[in-house]
Amino acid sequence: MGTCCTRAISIYLCLGSMATSALMASAVYATETPDPFELSPEELFNAAVTVTSVSKTEETLMDAPAAIYVLAGDDIRRSGATSLPEALRLVPGVQVARFGTAAWVVTVRGFASDLANKLLVLVDGREVYNHLYSGVYWDVQDTLLEDIDRVEVIRGPGATLWGSNAVNGVINIITKKASDTQGVLTTGLIGNQEAISGARYGGMTEDAISYRVYGKYSDRDRQKAFSGNALNDDMASSRGGFRADWGSGRDDFTLQGDLYQYQIGNVRNIPILTAPYASLIEEEGFASGGNLLTRWARDGEDGSRFEMQGYVDYTHRDANLLVETNTAYDIDAQYAFVQMGRHKLLAGGKLRYTVNNLTGSSQVRLTKEQRDDLLMSGFLQDKITLMPDRWFLTLGSKFEHNELSGYEIQPSARVQFLPDNERALWASVARAVRTPSRIERDANIDIGVAPPSVDVPVPVLVPLLPNPDFNAEEVIAYEVGYRHQWSEDVVLDITAFFNDYASLATSTIGTVSIINNGVDPVHAIFPVSITNSTKGTVSGVETAIDWQASDVLSFAASWSVLNIELEGPPPNIAIDAEVAENRSPHHQLSFRSQWDVTDSIEFDAIIGHTDQLSGVRVPDYWRLDLRLGWKVVDGLMFDLVGQNLIDDQHAEFATANSGPTVEIPRSIYGRFTWQF
Amino acid sequence: MAILMRVSLMLIGMWVAPAYAQQLHLAEQSIKSGLIYNFLKHTQWPQGGDAITVCLAGGNNLGKAVLRMEGRTVNRREIHIRKVKAGEEIADCNLLYVSGNVEWNALKKQVAGRPVLTVSDTKMFVRDGGMIALYHEEQRIRADLNRKTLRAAGLDVQDRMLQLVNTVNGE
């Protein structure tokens, strides 16, 4: 069967024959979990440790019944990424596009937009998904990158465990334990695009509480449009935080928090009713926030585990267009039962209370300035062993109530087949929803003014009207996946998916009227509101292969294909479907190498290709990033990094309302990291 | 798309190394317990005996995995496991595993100068008078070992193990 896959002519044929022959032969291949006391120290040090995200309990990456990828902290360091979204470029199947100094699109499996809303993101268990516009403020998501232990990315729905808005994926950013960040670390980076400095101190008290404190300051330069004009979107940010861990081993406690403040330049078009119908303004925006989280985990000696976590998260954003203040209070609890016969149960519950305050402007009017939302949810999951070590079935569902869309049930079923220790096959079907945002429900925004045309001889004002009836978007997702560990050094991961969406957000044109009030110039109003009137499918294949060629050289390659077909009302009634189809690349390709040239020199390269995005008129582009690292002495590292080396500049994404399309230039920087 | 997929599978096929070793996946607790067993096997104590005693302090974050060592033999000595608290008699402990670090400050004084192989799961341990730290880093379990404290206690860990760990010479 091994040769079947390595020499496969067709994946379908291969998977089909494997499944059937394995079914017949499963008894022959029966193996047991290896006894750790029978293993050599070399085998033990080489054994991979299990991961947590997919089932919220520890699992091996090989066995996880979902498309999961784990990005290690060291891969982030070696990639040369200087921000979290940039680091996500390393993850197969994730679309990352930069369209400003701190403006990012991050999405998986389509629906790219500056308001990409189908991906749930958590930092150490704290949700950073925002319910004002349903998305993530990537510009303020940051920490000392050296303190990141790993980033676990699940492509596909994760709503059964993680809740609403985990429609197309979940990203878990996990920082290191305080005991693993002891001592002093200082880092400084300076380049043609940015300057960043950071420091951390980790220590331990007499009572054996390990802790760290960190501070970071970033200054990122403004970007340029194709014309060469600099845009006023420079950014300065400072942030700091701490983490403390203590516990007996049976009970473990964590307390952590962050504070941040950002100053972000912004450019935007203000619609006006006289020629040239838009005026581009430059302004300063401010963002600040803080969070405090505590967690308690208890490991039962029988293998059960109880975890409880609570946090407060405060965010404030002040742009001239809109001022938002949001406070979230969140409590989660989870219990993993001891194995009972064939069943392994996992149950959990969550309470989340958010207070969201908005202040509008002449361009944004609100039907409701404050909304308090109580979200209650619970989940139950059972991993059923159909045949020991071979076949598993995982059934579960989330039951959730939120005040915007009411009750949501998000079930999933996953089946896993492990023919041997080297191969894993899985298939799943799941439902997930994206809950309505406040913008869709409560805001009345002047989006733009279209100049007079042959059809309409007066200027046309387009306001976005609130739609109190807008409801959740939903997906039924079908996935199959295959992992093959050919040897200790080569791992292949293929996932194919078919997502069936309904009730997708659609900009629907309302009744047109002519305004001739004697005050404003004569103009027409084309009101738009967001309705649930688009359906469609997104399908694709994601392939990733990791190869540790030798002790000093490793490669990772990935390729993903995406096909989006949406069906909405005709263009004279609604305007979304066609554009949304072409805002994500049909192909993405990436190739990465890490080479330890000598004991003190590292040389790393990343090459990537992204297909054109015709929906936002962005041509296809290649990226090349190179890094040369020099370990001067133990603890002191110098890096020289060049990013986007292939062309002078290229666009990665464009939005209608943020002025000219930003071109991402070549960037060169030097960095030192000193630990002692 | 089907054609592209075939091409990619062929490319993948060409990359595959002929070697066919299997990658092991184990729970963190099992790997650490296995390593503790290997340290028992590859360490020489000045005192002999029929039994070898593993003492667990500070709760037990290795769970059942480590308890399964009870009754096994290593170098013809039978392994006994018992839980200890700071202040209790620990003269019979050959290996002391400290979960977390709450009790270490008190135990540190008790084991000082005695032939007890001390193991914990925090990286700091080897800089705080301990001998071996087993910790999780980048999907593997790694070990730091302080040769100075090891030598001071009169213990001898064989080269095979020393080659697999990071040795630290600090305090």
Side-chain angles (χ1 to χ4, degrees), chain A residues 646-657:
Chain A
I646 288 179
D647 49 8
D648 291 343
Q649 54 182 41
H650 65 254
E652 297 187 348
F653 205 76
T655 59
N657 52 9

Side-chain angles (χ1 to χ4, degrees), chain B residues 127-140:
Chain B
R127 291 199 265 163
D128 191 23
M131 294 172 195
I132 297 169
L134 299 174
Y135 56 93
H136 184 182
E137 195 169 273
E138 281 152 22
Q139 296 180 47
R140 296 286 185 278

Side-chain angles (χ1 to χ4, degrees), chain B residues 48-52 76-80:
Chain B
D50 292 339
I52 193 159
R76 293 189 211 150
R77 296 171 77 175
E78 193 178 331
I79 301 173
H80 291 301

Side-chain angles (χ1 to χ4, degrees), chain A residues 201-449:
Chain A
Y201 173 73
M204 193 179 284
T205 68
E206 280 293 307
D207 315 318
I209 298 173
S210 54
Y211 64 89
R212 69 162 173 263
V213 288
Y214 80 92
K216 181 174 181 176
Y217 179 78
S218 315
D219 194 339
R220 295 182 199 264
D221 216 356
R222 55 187 57 189
Q223 300 291 314
K224 290 190 171 119
F226 183 68
S227 62
N229 291 337
L231 301 168
N232 171 53
D233 70 341
D234 44 348
M235 185 200 87
S237 74
S238 34
R239 64 187 305 130
F242 75 98
R243 173 168 172 160
D245 295 293
W246 68 98
S248 59
R250 180 161 185 239
D251 291 290
D252 286 309
F253 301 89
T254 298
L255 180 69
Q256 63 185 98
D258 303 271
L259 279 174
Y260 60 81
Q261 190 190 17
Y262 282 67
Q263 192 175 338
I264 307 168
N266 187 32
V267 277
R268 69 183 163 98
N269 278 317
I270 295 188
I272 45 175
L273 289 169
T274 52
Y277 305 103
S279 86
L280 186 69
I281 61 150
E282 299 189 338
E283 60 192 13
E284 281 298 306
F286 299 93
S288 57
N291 60 74
L292 191 66
L293 177 143
T294 179
R295 190 182 307 116
W296 166 42
R298 163 168 284 193
D299 278 305
E301 286 190 11
D302 55 359
S304 65
R305 182 178 168 86
F306 175 73
E307 268 183 50
M308 194 160 174
Q309 134 185 321
Y311 65 82
V312 184
D313 189 6
Y314 169 86
T315 56
H316 176 75
R317 288 182 81 93
D318 185 350
N320 294 341
L321 192 65
L322 190 66
V323 180
E324 180 199 7
T325 305
N326 191 78
T327 313
Y329 307 87
D330 193 300
I331 293 179
D332 278 276
Q334 174 187 312
Y335 186 72
F337 289 79
V338 62
Q339 181 87 31
M340 291 174 285
R342 290 171 171 269
H343 302 274
K344 176 88 178 146
L345 286 167
L346 182 70
K350 180 191 192 74
L351 274 180
R352 180 188 178 88
Y353 186 69
T354 44
V355 182
N356 188 275
N357 273 292
L358 297 176
T359 310
S361 61
S362 59
Q363 212 184 326
V364 178
R365 297 159 297 272
L366 299 155
T367 52
K368 206 171 175 182
E369 294 215 318
Q370 182 176 335
R371 246 188 207 280
D372 298 352
D373 188 20
L374 176 67
L375 181 145
M376 291 177 286
S377 76
F379 74 88
L380 184 66
Q381 180 178 280
D382 185 7
K383 182 169 182 178
I384 305 160
T385 305
L386 300 177
M387 188 187 291
D389 299 326
R390 284 282 165 280
W391 286 91
F392 299 93
L393 173 66
T394 308
L395 298 173
S397 184
K398 188 99 176 175
F399 306 92
E400 183 176 301
H401 182 268
N402 72 76
E403 287 171 23
L404 284 176
S405 69
Y407 289 97
E408 301 290 357
I409 296 176
Q410 301 177 85
S412 67
R414 296 177 184 273
V415 60
Q416 268 170 281
F417 170 52
L418 310 173
D420 47 42
N421 283 331
E422 294 81 41
R423 283 169 297 176
L425 259 165
W426 58 271
S428 74
V429 53
R431 177 181 190 267
V433 304
R434 196 274 290 180
T435 54
S437 71
R438 284 206 66 188
I439 293 282
E440 289 152 338
R441 283 289 183 91
D442 302 333
N444 180 333
I445 307 173
D446 290 343
I447 299 175
V449 172

Side-chain angles (χ1 to χ4, degrees), chain B residues 72-90:
Chain B
R72 284 177 184 261
T73 53
V74 61
N75 304 332
R76 293 189 211 150
R77 296 171 77 175
E78 193 178 331
I79 301 173
H80 291 301
I81 297 189
R82 72 181 186 95
K83 296 188 179 176
V84 294
K85 281 197 176 113
E88 284 180 8
E89 182 50 53
I90 56 162

Side-chain angles (χ1 to χ4, degrees), chain A residues 477-533:
Chain A
Y478 307 86
E479 293 176 277
V480 289
Y482 173 59
R483 278 190 197 92
H484 194 153
Q485 174 108 39
W486 262 292
S487 67
E488 218 171 291
D489 309 322
V490 184
V491 186
L492 166 74
D493 190 329
I494 302 178
T495 308
F497 66 93
F498 179 82
N499 288 357
D500 194 357
Y501 295 90
S503 308
L504 288 173
T506 311
S507 305
T508 303
I509 300 166
T511 317
V512 178
S513 56
I514 301 284
I515 304 295
N516 187 355
N517 55 13
V519 183
D520 298 316
V522 178
H523 63 280
I525 293 187
F526 262 67
V528 167
S529 60
I530 309 290
T531 61
N532 296 96
S533 27

Side-chain angles (χ1 to χ4, degrees), chain B residues 153-171:
Chain B
L155 295 172
D156 188 17
V157 174
Q158 290 168 12
D159 283 351
R160 179 172 179 186
M161 292 305 279
L162 292 178
Q163 278 164 7
L164 294 166
V165 304
N166 310 314
T167 49
V168 180
N169 283 313
E171 288 305 306

Side-chain angles (χ1 to χ4, degrees), chain B residues 9-171:
Chain B
L9 278 168
M10 271 156 54
L11 286 173
I12 289 159
M14 291 190 317
W15 288 352
V16 172
Y20 197 84
Q22 72 183 44
Q23 171 69 55
L24 272 174
H25 294 272
L26 282 173
E28 185 169 340
Q29 297 178 331
S30 299
I31 301 176
K32 287 180 176 174
S33 303
L35 286 169
I36 288 174
Y37 179 81
N38 271 286
F39 274 110
L40 288 177
K41 197 169 172 179
H42 296 104
T43 303
Q44 284 194 328
W45 275 266
Q47 81 277 32
D50 292 339
I52 193 159
T53 306
V54 173
C55 298
L56 305 174
N60 172 17
N61 63 10
L62 296 179
K64 274 184 182 169
V66 71
L67 300 179
R68 291 201 187 99
M69 236 189 306
E70 174 78 40
R72 284 177 184 261
T73 53
V74 61
N75 304 332
R76 293 189 211 150
R77 296 171 77 175
E78 193 178 331
I79 301 173
H80 291 301
I81 297 189
R82 72 181 186 95
K83 296 188 179 176
V84 294
K85 281 197 176 113
E88 284 180 8
E89 182 50 53
I90 56 162
D92 64 323
C93 299
N94 295 99
L95 186 147
L96 174 70
Y97 178 80
V98 187
S99 297
N101 33 44
V102 173
E103 305 220 9
W104 177 237
N105 274 329
L107 286 163
K108 191 160 51 175
K109 296 173 193 108
Q110 282 182 261
V111 296
R114 290 182 179 217
V116 180
L117 188 66
T118 54
V119 185
S120 184
D121 57 349
T122 61
K123 246 179 161 173
M124 265 302 275
F125 189 66
V126 291
R127 291 199 265 163
D128 191 23
M131 294 172 195
I132 297 169
L134 299 174
Y135 56 93
H136 184 182
E137 195 169 273
E138 281 152 22
Q139 296 180 47
R140 296 286 185 278
I141 298 300
R142 298 183 202 270
D144 287 355
L145 183 145
N146 189 325
R147 296 184 88 148
K148 206 168 162 181
T149 43
L150 197 73
R151 241 179 273 129
L155 295 172
D156 188 17
V157 174
Q158 290 168 12
D159 283 351
R160 179 172 179 186
M161 292 305 279
L162 292 178
Q163 278 164 7
L164 294 166
V165 304
N166 310 314
T167 49
V168 180
N169 283 313
E171 288 305 306

